[in-house]
Amino acid sequence: MSFVISVFNVGFVNNILEIWVKAWCFAFIVAFPTIFTISPIVHKLVNVVLDEESHGN
């Protein structure tokens, strides 16, 4: 997906692979800690919602 977005933004230029790898690395550096931090919170919220639904029936 990051490759498609890179091509969309800059086109098929000579150094598209370099641009793509830089974009992918930056996205990974941001995404991994974000997911690692947010995932437990989302998991707890889902459990709360599902628990409320099962008690509501």
Coordinates of all heavy atoms in Angstrom, one line a residue:
M1 N 0.8 -1.2 0.0 CA 0.0 0.0 0.0 C 0.9 1.3 0.0 O 0.6 2.2 -0.7 CB -0.9 0.0 1.2 CG -2.0 1.0 1.2 SD -2.9 0.6 -0.3 CE -4.2 1.6 -0.3
S2 N 1.9 1.2 0.8 CA 2.8 2.4 0.8 C 3.4 2.7 -0.6 O 3.7 3.8 -0.9 CB 3.9 2.3 1.9 OG 4.7 1.1 1.6
F3 N 3.7 1.6 -1.3 CA 4.3 1.8 -2.6 C 3.3 2.5 -3.6 O 3.6 3.4 -4.3 CB 4.7 0.4 -3.2 CG 5.3 0.5 -4.6 CD1 6.6 1.0 -4.8 CD2 4.6 0.2 -5.7 CE1 7.1 1.1 -6.0 CE2 5.1 0.3 -7.0 CZ 6.4 0.8 -7.2
V4 N 2.0 2.0 -3.5 CA 1.0 2.7 -4.3 C 0.8 4.1 -4.0 O 0.7 5.0 -4.9 CB -0.4 1.9 -4.1 CG1 -1.5 2.7 -4.8 CG2 -0.3 0.5 -4.6
I5 N 0.9 4.5 -2.7 CA 0.7 5.9 -2.3 C 1.9 6.7 -2.7 O 1.8 7.8 -3.2 CB 0.5 5.9 -0.8 CG1 -0.8 5.4 -0.4 CG2 0.6 7.4 -0.3 CD1 -1.1 5.2 1.1
S6 N 3.1 6.1 -2.6 CA 4.3 6.8 -3.1 C 4.3 7.1 -4.6 O 4.6 8.2 -5.0 CB 5.6 5.9 -2.8 OG 5.8 5.8 -1.4
V7 N 3.8 6.1 -5.4 CA 3.7 6.3 -6.8 C 2.6 7.3 -7.1 O 2.8 8.2 -8.0 CB 3.4 4.9 -7.5 CG1 3.0 5.2 -9.0 CG2 4.6 4.0 -7.4
F8 N 1.6 7.3 -6.4 CA 0.5 8.3 -6.5 C 1.0 9.7 -6.3 O 0.7 10.6 -7.0 CB -0.7 8.0 -5.6 CG -1.8 8.9 -5.7 CD1 -2.7 8.9 -6.8 CD2 -2.0 9.9 -4.7 CE1 -3.7 9.8 -6.9 CE2 -3.0 10.8 -4.8 CZ -3.9 10.8 -5.9
N9 N 1.8 9.9 -5.3 CA 2.3 11.2 -4.9 C 3.4 11.7 -5.8 O 3.5 12.9 -6.1 CB 2.8 11.2 -3.4 CG 1.7 11.2 -2.5 OD1 0.7 11.8 -2.7 ND2 1.9 10.5 -1.3
V10 N 4.3 10.9 -6.2 CA 5.5 11.4 -7.0 C 5.6 10.8 -8.4 O 6.4 11.3 -9.2 CB 6.8 11.1 -6.3 CG1 6.9 11.8 -5.0 CG2 7.1 9.6 -6.1
G11 N 4.8 9.8 -8.7 CA 4.8 9.1 -10.0 C 6.0 8.1 -10.1 O 6.7 7.9 -9.1
F12 N 6.1 7.5 -11.3 CA 7.2 6.6 -11.5 C 8.5 7.3 -11.9 O 8.9 7.4 -13.0 CB 6.8 5.6 -12.6 CG 5.9 4.5 -12.2 CD1 4.6 4.5 -12.5 CD2 6.4 3.4 -11.4 CE1 3.7 3.4 -12.1 CE2 5.6 2.4 -10.9 CZ 4.2 2.4 -11.3
V13 N 9.1 7.8 -10.9 CA 10.4 8.5 -11.1 C 11.5 7.5 -10.9 O 11.3 6.4 -10.5 CB 10.6 9.7 -10.0 CG1 9.5 10.8 -10.3 CG2 10.5 9.2 -8.6
N14 N 12.7 7.9 -11.3 CA 13.9 7.0 -11.3 C 14.2 6.4 -9.9 O 14.6 5.3 -9.8 CB 15.1 7.8 -11.8 CG 15.1 8.0 -13.3 OD1 14.4 7.3 -14.0 ND2 15.9 9.0 -13.8
N15 N 14.0 7.2 -8.9 CA 14.3 6.7 -7.5 C 13.1 6.3 -6.7 O 13.1 6.4 -5.5 CB 15.2 7.7 -6.8 CG 14.4 9.1 -6.6 OD1 13.5 9.4 -7.3 ND2 14.9 9.8 -5.7
I16 N 12.1 5.8 -7.4 CA 10.8 5.5 -6.7 C 11.1 4.4 -5.6 O 10.4 4.5 -4.5 CB 9.7 5.0 -7.7 CG1 8.4 4.9 -6.9 CG2 10.1 3.7 -8.4 CD1 7.8 6.1 -6.3
L17 N 12.0 3.5 -5.8 CA 12.2 2.4 -4.8 C 12.8 3.1 -3.5 O 12.5 2.7 -2.4 CB 13.1 1.3 -5.3 CG 12.4 0.4 -6.4 CD1 13.4 -0.6 -6.9 CD2 11.2 -0.2 -5.8
E18 N 13.7 4.0 -3.7 CA 14.3 4.7 -2.6 C 13.3 5.5 -1.8 O 13.2 5.5 -0.6 CB 15.5 5.6 -3.0 CG 16.1 6.4 -1.9 CD 17.2 7.3 -2.4 OE1 17.6 7.2 -3.6 OE2 17.6 8.2 -1.6
I19 N 12.4 6.2 -2.5 CA 11.4 7.0 -1.9 C 10.4 6.1 -1.2 O 10.0 6.4 0.0 CB 10.6 7.8 -3.0 CG1 11.5 8.9 -3.6 CG2 9.3 8.4 -2.5 CD1 11.0 9.5 -4.9
W20 N 10.1 5.0 -1.8 CA 9.1 4.0 -1.2 C 9.7 3.4 0.1 O 9.0 3.4 1.1 CB 8.8 2.9 -2.1 CG 8.0 1.8 -1.5 CD1 6.9 1.9 -0.8 CD2 8.4 0.4 -1.5 NE1 6.5 0.6 -0.4 CE2 7.5 -0.3 -0.7 CE3 9.6 -0.3 -1.9 CZ2 7.6 -1.6 -0.5 CZ3 9.6 -1.6 -1.7 CH2 8.7 -2.3 -1.0
V21 N 11.0 3.0 0.1 CA 11.6 2.4 1.3 C 11.7 3.4 2.4 O 11.4 3.1 3.6 CB 13.0 1.8 1.0 CG1 13.7 1.5 2.2 CG2 12.9 0.6 0.0
K22 N 12.0 4.7 2.1 CA 12.0 5.7 3.1 C 10.6 5.9 3.7 O 10.5 6.0 4.9 CB 12.6 7.0 2.6 CG 14.0 7.1 2.4 CD 14.5 8.4 1.8 CE 15.9 8.5 1.6 NZ 16.3 9.8 1.1
A23 N 9.6 6.0 2.9 CA 8.2 6.2 3.3 C 7.8 5.0 4.2 O 7.2 5.1 5.2 CB 7.3 6.3 2.2
W24 N 8.1 3.8 3.7 CA 7.8 2.6 4.5 C 8.4 2.5 5.9 O 7.8 2.2 6.9 CB 8.1 1.3 3.7 CG 7.7 0.1 4.4 CD1 6.5 -0.5 4.3 CD2 8.4 -0.7 5.4 NE1 6.4 -1.6 5.1 CE2 7.6 -1.8 5.8 CE3 9.7 -0.6 5.9 CZ2 8.0 -2.7 6.7 CZ3 10.1 -1.5 6.8 CH2 9.3 -2.6 7.2
C25 N 9.7 2.9 5.9 CA 10.4 2.9 7.2 C 9.8 3.9 8.1 O 9.7 3.6 9.3 CB 11.9 3.2 7.0 SG 12.8 1.8 6.2
F26 N 9.6 5.1 7.6 CA 9.0 6.1 8.5 C 7.6 5.7 9.0 O 7.3 5.8 10.2 CB 8.8 7.4 7.7 CG 8.2 8.5 8.5 CD1 8.9 9.1 9.6 CD2 6.9 8.9 8.3 CE1 8.3 10.1 10.3 CE2 6.3 9.9 9.1 CZ 7.0 10.5 10.1
A27 N 6.8 5.1 8.1 CA 5.5 4.6 8.5 C 5.6 3.5 9.6 O 4.8 3.5 10.6 CB 4.7 4.1 7.3
F28 N 6.5 2.6 9.4 CA 6.7 1.5 10.4 C 7.2 2.1 11.7 O 6.7 1.6 12.8 CB 7.7 0.5 9.8 CG 7.9 -0.7 10.7 CD1 7.0 -1.7 10.6 CD2 8.9 -0.8 11.6 CE1 7.1 -2.8 11.4 CE2 9.0 -1.9 12.4 CZ 8.1 -2.9 12.3
I29 N 8.1 3.0 11.7 CA 8.6 3.6 13.0 C 7.4 4.3 13.7 O 7.4 4.3 15.0 CB 9.7 4.6 12.7 CG1 11.0 3.8 12.2 CG2 10.0 5.5 13.9 CD1 12.1 4.7 11.7
V30 N 6.5 4.9 13.0 CA 5.3 5.5 13.7 C 4.3 4.5 14.0 O 3.7 4.5 15.1 CB 4.7 6.6 12.7 CG1 3.4 7.1 13.3 CG2 5.7 7.7 12.5
A31 N 4.0 3.5 13.1 CA 2.9 2.6 13.3 C 3.1 1.6 14.4 O 2.2 1.3 15.2 CB 2.5 1.9 12.0
F32 N 4.3 1.0 14.5 CA 4.6 -0.1 15.4 C 4.4 0.4 16.9 O 3.6 -0.3 17.6 CB 6.0 -0.7 15.2 CG 6.2 -1.9 16.1 CD1 5.7 -3.1 15.8 CD2 7.0 -1.7 17.2 CE1 5.9 -4.2 16.6 CE2 7.3 -2.8 18.0 CZ 6.7 -4.1 17.7
P33 N 5.0 1.4 17.3 CA 4.8 1.9 18.7 C 3.3 2.3 19.0 O 2.8 2.1 20.0 CB 5.7 3.0 18.9 CG 6.6 3.1 17.8 CD 6.0 2.3 16.7
T34 N 2.7 2.9 17.9 CA 1.3 3.3 18.1 C 0.4 2.1 18.3 O -0.4 2.1 19.2 CB 0.8 4.1 16.8 OG1 1.7 5.2 16.7 CG2 -0.6 4.6 17.0
I35 N 0.6 1.1 17.5 CA -0.2 -0.1 17.6 C 0.1 -0.8 18.9 O -0.8 -1.3 19.6 CB 0.0 -1.1 16.4 CG1 -0.6 -0.5 15.2 CG2 -0.6 -2.4 16.7 CD1 -0.2 -1.2 13.9
F36 N 1.3 -0.9 19.3 CA 1.7 -1.5 20.5 C 1.1 -0.8 21.7 O 0.7 -1.4 22.7 CB 3.3 -1.5 20.6 CG 3.8 -2.3 21.8 CD1 3.8 -3.7 21.7 CD2 4.3 -1.7 22.9 CE1 4.3 -4.5 22.7 CE2 4.9 -2.5 23.9 CZ 4.9 -3.9 23.8
T37 N 0.9 0.5 21.7 CA 0.4 1.3 22.7 C -1.1 1.3 22.7 O -1.8 1.1 23.8 CB 0.8 2.8 22.6 OG1 2.3 2.8 22.6 CG2 0.3 3.6 23.8
I38 N -1.8 1.4 21.6 CA -3.2 1.5 21.5 C -3.9 0.2 21.5 O -5.1 0.1 22.0 CB -3.6 2.2 20.1 CG1 -2.9 3.6 20.1 CG2 -5.1 2.3 19.9 CD1 -3.4 4.6 21.2
S39 N -3.3 -0.9 21.1 CA -3.9 -2.2 21.0 C -4.5 -2.7 22.4 O -5.7 -3.1 22.4 CB -2.9 -3.2 20.5 OG -3.5 -4.5 20.4
P40 N -3.8 -2.6 23.5 CA -4.4 -3.0 24.7 C -5.7 -2.2 25.1 O -6.6 -2.7 25.7 CB -3.3 -2.8 25.8 CG -2.1 -2.7 25.0 CD -2.4 -2.2 23.7
I41 N -5.6 -0.9 24.8 CA -6.8 0.0 25.1 C -8.0 -0.5 24.3 O -9.1 -0.6 24.8 CB -6.4 1.4 24.9 CG1 -5.3 1.9 25.8 CG2 -7.6 2.3 25.0 CD1 -4.6 3.2 25.5
V42 N -7.8 -0.7 23.0 CA -8.9 -1.1 22.1 C -9.4 -2.5 22.5 O -10.6 -2.7 22.6 CB -8.4 -1.1 20.6 CG1 -9.4 -1.7 19.7 CG2 -8.0 0.3 20.2
H43 N -8.5 -3.4 22.9 CA -8.9 -4.7 23.4 C -9.8 -4.6 24.6 O -10.9 -5.2 24.7 CB -7.7 -5.5 23.7 CG -8.0 -6.9 24.1 ND1 -8.4 -7.9 23.2 CD2 -7.9 -7.5 25.3 CE1 -8.6 -9.0 23.8 NE2 -8.3 -8.8 25.1
K44 N -9.5 -3.7 25.6 CA -10.3 -3.5 26.8 C -11.7 -2.9 26.4 O -12.7 -3.3 26.9 CB -9.6 -2.6 27.8 CG -8.4 -3.3 28.5 CD -7.7 -2.4 29.4 CE -6.5 -3.1 30.0 NZ -5.7 -2.3 30.9
L45 N -11.7 -1.9 25.5 CA -12.9 -1.3 25.1 C -13.8 -2.3 24.4 O -15.0 -2.4 24.6 CB -12.7 -0.1 24.2 CG -12.1 1.1 24.8 CD1 -11.7 2.1 23.7 CD2 -13.1 1.7 25.8
V46 N -13.3 -3.2 23.5 CA -14.1 -4.2 22.9 C -14.6 -5.2 23.9 O -15.8 -5.5 23.8 CB -13.2 -4.9 21.8 CG1 -13.9 -6.2 21.3 CG2 -12.9 -4.0 20.6
N47 N -13.8 -5.6 24.8 CA -14.4 -6.5 25.9 C -15.5 -5.8 26.7 O -16.5 -6.5 27.0 CB -13.2 -6.9 26.8 CG -12.3 -7.9 26.2 OD1 -12.7 -8.6 25.3 ND2 -11.1 -8.0 26.7
V48 N -15.4 -4.5 27.0 CA -16.4 -3.8 27.7 C -17.7 -3.8 26.9 O -18.8 -4.1 27.4 CB -16.0 -2.4 28.1 CG1 -17.2 -1.5 28.5 CG2 -14.9 -2.4 29.1
V49 N -17.6 -3.5 25.6 CA -18.8 -3.4 24.7 C -19.4 -4.8 24.6 O -20.6 -4.9 24.7 CB -18.4 -2.8 23.3 CG1 -19.5 -3.0 22.4 CG2 -18.0 -1.4 23.5
L50 N -18.6 -5.8 24.4 CA -19.2 -7.2 24.2 C -19.8 -7.7 25.5 O -20.8 -8.4 25.5 CB -18.1 -8.1 23.7 CG -17.6 -7.9 22.3 CD1 -16.5 -8.9 21.9 CD2 -18.7 -7.9 21.3
D51 N -19.2 -7.3 26.6 CA -19.7 -7.7 27.9 C -21.1 -7.1 28.2 O -22.0 -7.7 28.7 CB -18.7 -7.4 29.1 CG -19.1 -8.0 30.4 OD1 -19.5 -9.2 30.4 OD2 -19.1 -7.3 31.4
E52 N -21.2 -5.8 27.8 CA -22.4 -5.1 28.0 C -23.5 -5.7 27.1 O -24.7 -5.8 27.5 CB -22.3 -3.6 27.7 CG -21.5 -2.8 28.8 CD -21.3 -1.4 28.4 OE1 -21.8 -0.9 27.4 OE2 -20.6 -0.7 29.2
E53 N -23.2 -6.0 25.9 CA -24.1 -6.6 25.0 C -24.6 -8.0 25.5 O -25.8 -8.3 25.4 CB -23.5 -6.8 23.6 CG -23.5 -5.5 22.8 CD -22.9 -5.6 21.4 OE1 -22.8 -6.8 21.0 OE2 -22.7 -4.6 20.7
S54 N -23.7 -8.8 26.0 CA -24.1 -10.1 26.5 C -25.0 -10.0 27.7 O -25.9 -10.8 27.9 CB -22.9 -11.0 26.8 OG -22.2 -10.5 27.9
H55 N -24.8 -9.0 28.6 CA -25.7 -8.8 29.7 C -27.0 -8.2 29.4 O -27.9 -8.3 30.1 CB -24.9 -8.0 30.8 CG -23.9 -8.7 31.5 ND1 -23.1 -9.7 30.9 CD2 -23.4 -8.7 32.8 CE1 -22.2 -10.2 31.8 NE2 -22.4 -9.6 33.0
G56 N -27.0 -7.5 28.3 CA -28.2 -6.8 27.9 C -29.3 -7.7 27.3 O -30.4 -7.3 27.2
N57 N -28.9 -8.8 26.8 CA -29.8 -9.8 26.2 C -30.5 -10.7 27.2 O -30.2 -11.2 28.1 CB -29.2 -10.6 25.1 CG -28.8 -9.8 23.9 OD1 -29.4 -8.8 23.6 ND2 -27.8 -10.2 23.2

